[in-house]
Amino acid sequence: MSVAIIGGTGLTSLPGLEITRREVVHTPYGTPSGPITHGRYSGKEVMFLARHGYGHTIPPHRINYRANVWALKHLGVKRVIAVAAVGGITERMAPGVIAFPDQIIDYTWGRACTFFDVNLTQVTHIDFTYPYDAELRSILIEAARQAGIDHVDGGTYGATQGPRLETAAEIRRMRQDGCEVVGMTGMPEAALARELGLCYATCAVVSNWAAGVRGETVSMNEIEATLKEGMKKVQQLLTYAVPLL
Ligand code: HPA
């Protein structure tokens, strides 16, 4: 089953991927964030796409999520591992932790969030009770265990609009809502994947305490430094996860 990895901030390329070719895909929804990179990773064929573009130039609210997901489906992808940087809201989501969320609350707005939009023969709804694929999640968790990586199984991912970070009050509200991590790209990506029948799970790298959680403002330098270390762990995790797929 073909697998794709969508890399987020801190993972605009996948070291260790033996690249065979890059493919430009045109979609009915416009252009994906970049060409899809094909290659071998841990002995398997995988595809890679940098969500923010290979030069990290596309902000979260401007990503063409529909084009990205459609392109992967078009190339025969069945499973998508989404890597994403997040802020930690609860105690167990400390910077440096790798988390595999199991729920989502969507606070984004104004994004093209569905394939079932216009020119429909029938209004279409999808079930999204459990937004992440259970089997793919358990593979990622098993890979983290095998790799000896500190991780958290579960938690609600709150998707915010960005590109600004949140206010302390917004994070307080999100905590009351039950969110444990906060990021800007989890939606509509996860829902679009479900609409096209792709198995999708997120590997979230906690890069900072979310706004107000530790009383200080959020430092971009801290985010960058923590992400650098976190993405090394993700790469290691992926070398264990890919053979399990
Ligand atoms: N908020 C939103 N998105 C993020 C954060 C955050 O604190 N850290 C990394 N991505």
Side-chain angles (χ1 to χ4, degrees):
M1 279 216 279
S2 288
V3 58
I5 296 160
I6 302 181
T9 301
L11 196 74
T12 47
S13 67
L14 188 60
L17 179 69
E18 297 160 42
I19 297 169
T20 48
R21 68 199 163 93
R22 289 194 171 85
E23 186 168 6
V24 175
V25 181
H26 301 284
T27 88
Y29 303 96
T31 320
S33 297
I36 312 297
T37 307
H38 295 257
R40 282 187 81 76
Y41 193 80
S42 281
K44 285 210 166 157
E45 299 293 325
V46 307
M47 296 176 213
F48 180 82
L49 175 63
R51 186 185 285 114
H52 297 278
Y54 290 90
H56 202 259
T57 52
I58 311 169
H61 65 293
R62 293 228 165 257
I63 291 167
N64 191 338
Y65 295 95
R66 289 197 298 188
N68 287 352
V69 173
W70 193 95
L72 297 178
K73 173 78 177 181
H74 178 70
L75 296 178
V77 166
K78 300 277 188 272
R79 286 161 152 174
V80 177
I81 300 173
V83 179
V86 296
I89 298 176
T90 55
E91 206 60 39
R92 65 176 182 161
M93 299 297 188
V97 160
I98 308 287
F100 305 100
D102 59 2
Q103 277 297 330
I104 297 175
I105 298 179
D106 186 7
Y107 301 90
T108 67
W109 50 270
R111 300 183 180 188
C113 60
T114 180
F115 291 108
F116 301 122
D117 196 16
V118 288
N119 303 323
L120 300 175
T121 48
Q122 171 114 43
V123 172
T124 306
H125 304 284
I126 52 154
D127 172 68
F128 204 45
T129 311
Y130 300 104
Y132 299 110
D133 181 73
E135 193 194 0
L136 189 52
R137 270 192 81 248
S138 58
I139 288 172
L140 293 176
I141 291 162
E142 173 59 19
R145 204 191 55 75
Q146 285 182 12
I149 293 168
D150 235 4
H151 62 279
V152 175
D153 173 357
T156 297
Y157 175 111
T160 56
Q161 179 69 358
R164 66 167 177 83
L165 294 170
E166 298 70 36
T167 66
E170 284 168 338
I171 294 296
R172 275 199 300 276
R173 184 183 74 164
M174 291 178 76
R175 183 200 281 269
Q176 281 167 11
D177 286 353
C179 295
E180 292 211 62
V181 293
V182 52
M184 300 173 189
T185 57
M187 286 294 284
E189 196 173 86
L192 292 167
R194 177 65 56 84
E195 284 189 347
L196 295 189
L198 301 175
C199 301
Y200 179 99
T202 289
C203 174
V205 182
V206 183
S207 60
N208 56 285
W209 288 113
V213 171
R214 281 291 180 274
E216 294 139 28
T217 56
V218 181
S219 145
M220 302 309 145
N221 288 341
E222 180 207 328
I223 291 186
E224 210 173 303
T226 311
L227 263 188
K228 211 169 164 190
E229 288 310 305
M231 289 305 165
K232 283 188 202 155
K233 290 189 215 167
V234 169
Q235 284 159 38
Q236 203 194 343
L237 184 149
L238 289 172
T239 62
Y240 282 85
V242 169
L244 295 174
L245 291 166

